[in-house]
Amino acid sequence: MALTTYRDLDVWQVAMDLVESVYRATEVMPTQEKYGLTSQVQRAAVSVPSNIAEGYGRLHRGDYLRHLSIARGSLMEVETLITLTVRLGLLQREAIVPVWDQAQRVGMMLNKLIDSLNPRT
Protein backbone atom coordinates (compact mmCIF):
# COMPACT_ATOMS: atom_id res chain seq x y z
CA MET A 1 0.00 0.00 0.00
CA ALA A 2 1.36 3.41 -0.96
CA LEU A 3 1.74 6.15 1.58
CA THR A 4 -0.89 8.82 1.21
CA THR A 5 -0.22 10.81 4.38
CA TYR A 6 2.35 11.09 7.15
CA ARG A 7 -0.12 9.19 9.36
CA ASP A 8 0.68 6.10 7.27
CA LEU A 9 4.31 6.19 8.39
CA ASP A 10 5.06 3.54 11.00
CA VAL A 11 7.66 5.81 12.59
CA TRP A 12 5.08 8.58 13.05
CA GLN A 13 2.64 6.14 14.67
CA VAL A 14 5.28 4.78 17.07
CA ALA A 15 6.42 8.34 17.85
CA MET A 16 2.83 9.22 18.74
CA ASP A 17 2.76 6.21 21.08
CA LEU A 18 5.96 7.56 22.65
CA VAL A 19 4.29 10.93 23.30
CA GLU A 20 1.40 9.20 25.09
CA SER A 21 3.84 7.17 27.19
CA VAL A 22 5.84 10.27 28.14
CA TYR A 23 2.68 12.08 29.22
CA ARG A 24 1.50 9.10 31.28
CA ALA A 25 4.90 8.59 32.90
CA THR A 26 5.26 12.25 33.83
CA GLU A 27 1.78 12.54 35.38
CA VAL A 28 3.27 11.46 38.70
CA MET A 29 6.10 13.98 38.72
CA PRO A 30 6.05 16.58 41.50
CA THR A 31 3.90 19.63 40.83
CA GLN A 32 6.90 21.93 41.27
CA GLU A 33 8.26 20.38 38.05
CA LYS A 34 5.10 21.19 36.07
CA TYR A 35 6.82 24.10 34.32
CA GLY A 36 10.28 22.55 34.49
CA LEU A 37 11.32 19.05 33.51
CA THR A 38 7.75 17.81 33.05
CA SER A 39 6.96 20.46 30.47
CA GLN A 40 10.33 20.16 28.77
CA VAL A 41 10.21 16.39 28.29
CA GLN A 42 6.61 16.56 27.08
CA ARG A 43 7.42 19.29 24.56
CA ALA A 44 10.46 17.37 23.32
CA ALA A 45 8.35 14.23 22.90
CA VAL A 46 5.66 16.13 20.97
CA SER A 47 8.36 17.56 18.71
CA VAL A 48 9.31 14.09 17.41
CA PRO A 49 6.10 13.16 15.52
CA SER A 50 5.43 16.83 14.77
CA ASN A 51 8.68 17.18 12.85
CA ILE A 52 8.16 13.86 11.08
CA ALA A 53 4.77 15.15 9.91
CA GLU A 54 6.05 18.59 8.98
CA GLY A 55 8.95 17.15 7.01
CA TYR A 56 6.62 14.82 5.14
CA GLY A 57 4.59 17.83 4.09
CA ARG A 58 7.58 19.66 2.61
CA LEU A 59 8.10 19.64 -1.13
CA HIS A 60 11.85 18.97 -1.19
CA ARG A 61 13.74 15.93 0.07
CA GLY A 62 16.33 18.16 1.75
CA ASP A 63 13.60 19.84 3.81
CA TYR A 64 12.19 16.45 4.75
CA LEU A 65 15.63 15.23 5.86
CA ARG A 66 16.19 18.41 7.88
CA HIS A 67 12.91 17.89 9.77
CA LEU A 68 13.72 14.23 10.35
CA SER A 69 17.06 15.36 11.75
CA ILE A 70 15.25 17.77 14.08
CA ALA A 71 12.94 14.92 15.15
CA ARG A 72 16.00 12.80 15.89
CA GLY A 73 17.51 15.60 17.97
CA SER A 74 14.26 15.97 19.92
CA LEU A 75 14.30 12.23 20.54
CA MET A 76 17.81 12.51 22.02
CA GLU A 77 16.47 15.31 24.21
CA VAL A 78 13.66 13.01 25.43
CA GLU A 79 16.21 10.31 26.26
CA THR A 80 18.37 12.79 28.16
CA LEU A 81 15.47 14.25 30.10
CA ILE A 82 13.99 10.91 31.14
CA THR A 83 17.44 9.81 32.27
CA LEU A 84 17.69 13.00 34.29
CA THR A 85 14.30 12.44 35.94
CA VAL A 86 15.55 9.09 37.22
CA ARG A 87 18.90 10.49 38.35
CA LEU A 88 17.09 13.22 40.28
CA GLY A 89 14.69 10.70 41.83
CA LEU A 90 11.63 12.30 40.24
CA LEU A 91 10.61 9.06 38.51
CA GLN A 92 11.43 5.45 39.20
CA ARG A 93 13.65 3.68 36.72
CA GLU A 94 11.09 0.88 36.34
CA ALA A 95 8.47 3.40 35.22
CA ILE A 96 10.75 4.82 32.56
CA VAL A 97 12.15 1.62 31.02
CA PRO A 98 9.15 1.15 28.68
CA VAL A 99 9.44 4.79 27.59
CA TRP A 100 13.15 4.31 26.98
CA ASP A 101 12.47 1.19 24.93
CA GLN A 102 9.92 3.06 22.81
CA ALA A 103 12.40 5.88 22.27
CA GLN A 104 15.00 3.37 21.09
CA ARG A 105 12.51 1.89 18.63
CA VAL A 106 11.61 5.33 17.27
CA GLY A 107 15.32 6.11 16.94
CA MET A 108 16.01 2.99 14.91
CA MET A 109 13.03 3.68 12.67
CA LEU A 110 14.04 7.32 12.18
CA ASN A 111 17.58 6.30 11.29
CA LYS A 112 16.32 3.84 8.69
CA LEU A 113 13.99 6.43 7.18
CA ILE A 114 16.77 9.02 7.07
CA ASP A 115 19.13 6.51 5.45
CA SER A 116 16.53 5.58 2.85
CA LEU A 117 16.01 9.23 1.87
CA ASN A 118 19.62 10.37 2.08
CA PRO A 119 21.20 10.45 -1.38
CA ARG A 120 24.66 9.89 0.16
CA THR A 121 23.81 6.40 1.41
Side-chain angles (χ1 to χ4, degrees):
M1 179 173 78
L3 296 177
T4 58
T5 175
Y6 63 87
R7 293 181 303 275
D8 294 332
L9 292 168
D10 290 339
V11 68
W12 179 85
Q13 294 171 14
V14 176
M16 290 292 286
D17 293 341
L18 174 63
V19 174
E20 289 181 44
S21 295
V22 165
Y23 268 77
R24 286 191 183 99
T26 57
E27 284 176 343
V28 298
M29 286 182 56
T31 55
Q32 70 262 25
E33 285 300 328
K34 182 177 182 179
Y35 301 107
L37 279 176
T38 302
S39 176
Q40 190 169 354
V41 71
Q42 289 172 347
R43 285 183 287 116
V46 168
S47 178
V48 177
S50 297
N51 276 289
I52 293 168
E54 185 173 352
Y56 185 90
R58 297 294 174 143
L59 295 176
H60 303 286
R61 183 181 299 192
D63 289 338
Y64 191 11
L65 284 166
R66 185 170 65 83
H67 280 84
L68 292 176
S69 176
I70 293 168
R72 190 173 182 278
S74 293
L75 183 65
M76 301 300 122
E77 183 178 2
V78 170
E79 291 175 356
T80 299
L81 293 168
I82 63 174
T83 300
L84 185 57
T85 63
V86 171
R87 289 179 68 164
L88 293 174
L90 300 171
L91 292 174
Q92 296 298 311
R93 184 182 185 282
E94 298 77 32
I96 289 302
V97 168
V99 178
W100 179 266
D101 291 344
Q102 278 184 308
Q104 298 308 297
R105 183 170 178 222
V106 171
M108 288 187 295
M109 295 172 83
L110 262 176
N111 287 338
K112 287 180 182 180
L113 180 56
I114 290 167
D115 288 346
S116 75
L117 294 170
N118 198 337
R120 289 180 248 141
T121 57

Short mmCIF file of all heavy atoms in Angstrom, two decimals, residues 21-51:
data_model
loop_
_atom_site.label_atom_id
_atom_site.label_comp_id
_atom_site.label_asym_id
_atom_site.label_seq_id
_atom_site.Cartn_x
_atom_site.Cartn_y
_atom_site.Cartn_z
N SER A 21 3.11 7.80 26.08
CA SER A 21 3.84 7.17 27.19
C SER A 21 4.56 8.21 28.04
O SER A 21 4.58 8.10 29.27
CB SER A 21 4.85 6.15 26.65
OG SER A 21 4.19 5.08 26.03
N VAL A 22 5.15 9.20 27.39
CA VAL A 22 5.84 10.27 28.14
C VAL A 22 4.83 11.01 29.00
O VAL A 22 5.08 11.27 30.19
CB VAL A 22 6.59 11.22 27.18
CG1 VAL A 22 7.00 12.51 27.90
CG2 VAL A 22 7.81 10.53 26.60
N TYR A 23 3.69 11.36 28.44
CA TYR A 23 2.68 12.08 29.22
C TYR A 23 2.20 11.24 30.40
O TYR A 23 2.05 11.76 31.52
CB TYR A 23 1.49 12.49 28.33
CG TYR A 23 1.65 13.88 27.75
CD1 TYR A 23 2.50 14.10 26.67
CD2 TYR A 23 0.98 14.96 28.30
CE1 TYR A 23 2.65 15.37 26.14
CE2 TYR A 23 1.13 16.24 27.77
CZ TYR A 23 1.97 16.43 26.69
OH TYR A 23 2.13 17.70 26.18
N ARG A 24 1.96 9.96 30.18
CA ARG A 24 1.50 9.10 31.28
C ARG A 24 2.57 8.96 32.36
O ARG A 24 2.27 9.00 33.55
CB ARG A 24 1.09 7.74 30.74
CG ARG A 24 -0.22 7.78 30.00
CD ARG A 24 -0.76 6.38 29.70
NE ARG A 24 -1.97 6.50 28.94
CZ ARG A 24 -2.06 6.37 27.61
NH1 ARG A 24 -0.98 6.06 26.91
NH2 ARG A 24 -3.20 6.51 26.98
N ALA A 25 3.81 8.78 31.94
CA ALA A 25 4.90 8.59 32.90
C ALA A 25 5.14 9.84 33.73
O ALA A 25 5.47 9.76 34.91
CB ALA A 25 6.19 8.18 32.18
N THR A 26 4.96 11.01 33.12
CA THR A 26 5.26 12.25 33.83
C THR A 26 4.09 12.77 34.65
O THR A 26 4.25 13.76 35.39
CB THR A 26 5.74 13.35 32.85
OG1 THR A 26 4.74 13.56 31.84
CG2 THR A 26 7.05 12.97 32.20
N GLU A 27 2.94 12.12 34.58
CA GLU A 27 1.78 12.54 35.38
C GLU A 27 2.08 12.51 36.88
O GLU A 27 1.50 13.29 37.64
CB GLU A 27 0.58 11.62 35.12
CG GLU A 27 -0.13 11.87 33.83
CD GLU A 27 -1.26 10.88 33.59
OE1 GLU A 27 -1.31 9.81 34.25
OE2 GLU A 27 -2.10 11.17 32.74
N VAL A 28 2.98 11.64 37.28
CA VAL A 28 3.27 11.46 38.70
C VAL A 28 4.43 12.33 39.19
O VAL A 28 4.78 12.27 40.37
CB VAL A 28 3.56 9.98 39.03
CG1 VAL A 28 2.35 9.11 38.71
CG2 VAL A 28 4.79 9.49 38.30
N MET A 29 4.99 13.13 38.30
CA MET A 29 6.10 13.98 38.72
C MET A 29 5.59 15.07 39.66
O MET A 29 4.42 15.46 39.59
CB MET A 29 6.82 14.57 37.50
CG MET A 29 7.65 13.51 36.80
SD MET A 29 8.59 14.08 35.39
CE MET A 29 9.56 15.40 36.01
N PRO A 30 6.45 15.55 40.54
CA PRO A 30 6.05 16.58 41.50
C PRO A 30 5.50 17.83 40.80
O PRO A 30 5.97 18.20 39.72
CB PRO A 30 7.35 16.91 42.24
CG PRO A 30 8.26 15.75 41.99
CD PRO A 30 7.85 15.17 40.69
N THR A 31 4.53 18.46 41.44
CA THR A 31 3.90 19.63 40.83
C THR A 31 4.89 20.78 40.64
O THR A 31 4.71 21.58 39.72
CB THR A 31 2.71 20.12 41.68
OG1 THR A 31 3.15 20.36 43.01
CG2 THR A 31 1.59 19.13 41.67
N GLN A 32 5.93 20.86 41.46
CA GLN A 32 6.90 21.93 41.27
C GLN A 32 7.69 21.77 39.97
O GLN A 32 8.33 22.70 39.51
CB GLN A 32 7.86 22.06 42.46
CG GLN A 32 8.85 20.94 42.61
CD GLN A 32 8.42 19.89 43.61
OE1 GLN A 32 7.24 19.73 43.87
NE2 GLN A 32 9.37 19.20 44.19
N GLU A 33 7.60 20.60 39.34
CA GLU A 33 8.26 20.38 38.05
C GLU A 33 7.32 20.60 36.87
O GLU A 33 7.72 20.41 35.72
CB GLU A 33 8.83 18.95 37.98
CG GLU A 33 10.07 18.76 38.80
CD GLU A 33 11.22 19.67 38.38
OE1 GLU A 33 11.33 20.00 37.19
OE2 GLU A 33 12.01 20.05 39.26
N LYS A 34 6.09 21.01 37.14
CA LYS A 34 5.10 21.19 36.07
C LYS A 34 5.62 22.08 34.96
O LYS A 34 5.39 21.83 33.78
CB LYS A 34 3.79 21.75 36.64
CG LYS A 34 2.71 21.93 35.62
CD LYS A 34 1.42 22.43 36.26
CE LYS A 34 0.33 22.55 35.21
NZ LYS A 34 -0.93 23.01 35.80
N TYR A 35 6.31 23.16 35.31
CA TYR A 35 6.82 24.10 34.32
C TYR A 35 8.33 23.91 34.09
O TYR A 35 8.95 24.71 33.39
CB TYR A 35 6.53 25.54 34.75
CG TYR A 35 5.05 25.76 34.91
CD1 TYR A 35 4.48 25.89 36.17
CD2 TYR A 35 4.21 25.79 33.79
CE1 TYR A 35 3.10 26.08 36.32
CE2 TYR A 35 2.84 25.97 33.93
CZ TYR A 35 2.31 26.12 35.19
OH TYR A 35 0.95 26.29 35.34
N GLY A 36 8.87 22.85 34.65
CA GLY A 36 10.28 22.55 34.49
C GLY A 36 10.48 21.31 33.63
O GLY A 36 10.12 21.30 32.45
N LEU A 37 11.01 20.28 34.25
CA LEU A 37 11.32 19.05 33.51
C LEU A 37 10.08 18.40 32.88
O LEU A 37 10.15 17.88 31.77
CB LEU A 37 12.02 18.04 34.41
CG LEU A 37 13.51 18.26 34.61
CD1 LEU A 37 14.06 17.25 35.62
CD2 LEU A 37 14.24 18.16 33.30
N THR A 38 8.96 18.43 33.58
CA THR A 38 7.75 17.81 33.05
C THR A 38 7.39 18.44 31.71
O THR A 38 7.20 17.75 30.71
CB THR A 38 6.57 17.94 34.03
OG1 THR A 38 6.94 17.34 35.27
CG2 THR A 38 5.33 17.27 33.49
N SER A 39 7.31 19.74 31.70
CA SER A 39 6.96 20.46 30.47
C SER A 39 8.00 20.24 29.39
O SER A 39 7.67 20.02 28.22
CB SER A 39 6.82 21.95 30.77
OG SER A 39 6.59 22.67 29.59
N GLN A 40 9.26 20.27 29.76
CA GLN A 40 10.33 20.16 28.77
C GLN A 40 10.33 18.79 28.10
O GLN A 40 10.45 18.68 26.88
CB GLN A 40 11.68 20.45 29.39
CG GLN A 40 12.78 20.58 28.37
CD GLN A 40 14.07 21.13 28.95
OE1 GLN A 40 14.13 21.51 30.11
NE2 GLN A 40 15.11 21.15 28.14
N VAL A 41 10.20 17.73 28.88
CA VAL A 41 10.21 16.39 28.29
C VAL A 41 8.96 16.15 27.45
O VAL A 41 9.00 15.51 26.40
CB VAL A 41 10.42 15.28 29.36
CG1 VAL A 41 9.20 15.10 30.24
CG2 VAL A 41 10.78 13.96 28.69
N GLN A 42 7.84 16.69 27.87
CA GLN A 42 6.61 16.56 27.08
C GLN A 42 6.73 17.30 25.76
O GLN A 42 6.35 16.78 24.70
CB GLN A 42 5.41 17.07 27.88
CG GLN A 42 5.02 16.16 29.03
CD GLN A 42 3.95 16.76 29.92
OE1 GLN A 42 3.63 17.95 29.85
NE2 GLN A 42 3.38 15.94 30.79
N ARG A 43 7.26 18.51 25.80
CA ARG A 43 7.42 19.29 24.56
C ARG A 43 8.41 18.62 23.61
O ARG A 43 8.19 18.59 22.40
CB ARG A 43 7.85 20.72 24.86
CG ARG A 43 6.71 21.57 25.41
CD ARG A 43 7.09 23.02 25.66
NE ARG A 43 7.94 23.13 26.85
CZ ARG A 43 9.21 23.54 26.84
NH1 ARG A 43 9.77 23.93 25.74
NH2 ARG A 43 9.89 23.58 27.96
N ALA A 44 9.48 18.06 24.16
CA ALA A 44 10.46 17.37 23.32
C ALA A 44 9.83 16.13 22.67
O ALA A 44 10.05 15.86 21.49
CB ALA A 44 11.68 16.96 24.15
N ALA A 45 9.02 15.42 23.44
CA ALA A 45 8.35 14.23 22.90
C ALA A 45 7.38 14.61 21.78
O ALA A 45 7.34 13.97 20.72
CB ALA A 45 7.62 13.47 24.01
N VAL A 46 6.62 15.66 21.98
CA VAL A 46 5.66 16.13 20.97
C VAL A 46 6.39 16.56 19.69
O VAL A 46 5.90 16.38 18.58
CB VAL A 46 4.79 17.28 21.52
CG1 VAL A 46 4.01 17.98 20.42
CG2 VAL A 46 3.84 16.76 22.60
N SER A 47 7.58 17.09 19.84
CA SER A 47 8.36 17.56 18.71
C SER A 47 8.74 16.42 17.75
O SER A 47 8.91 16.66 16.56
CB SER A 47 9.62 18.26 19.21
OG SER A 47 10.42 18.69 18.15
N VAL A 48 8.88 15.20 18.26
CA VAL A 48 9.31 14.09 17.41
C VAL A 48 8.29 13.81 16.30
O VAL A 48 8.61 13.95 15.11
CB VAL A 48 9.65 12.84 18.24
CG1 VAL A 48 10.05 11.68 17.34
CG2 VAL A 48 10.77 13.14 19.25
N PRO A 49 7.05 13.42 16.62
CA PRO A 49 6.10 13.16 15.52
C PRO A 49 5.72 14.43 14.77
O PRO A 49 5.40 14.38 13.57
CB PRO A 49 4.89 12.53 16.22
CG PRO A 49 4.97 13.00 17.63
CD PRO A 49 6.43 13.14 17.92
N SER A 50 5.76 15.57 15.44
CA SER A 50 5.43 16.83 14.77
C SER A 50 6.40 17.12 13.64
O SER A 50 6.00 17.54 12.54
CB SER A 50 5.42 17.98 15.76
OG SER A 50 4.43 17.79 16.74
N ASN A 51 7.68 16.93 13.89
CA ASN A 51 8.68 17.18 12.85
C ASN A 51 8.67 16.12 11.76
O ASN A 51 8.94 16.42 10.60
CB ASN A 51 10.07 17.33 13.46
CG ASN A 51 10.30 18.73 13.93
OD1 ASN A 51 10.45 19.64 13.13
ND2 ASN A 51 10.28 18.93 15.24
#
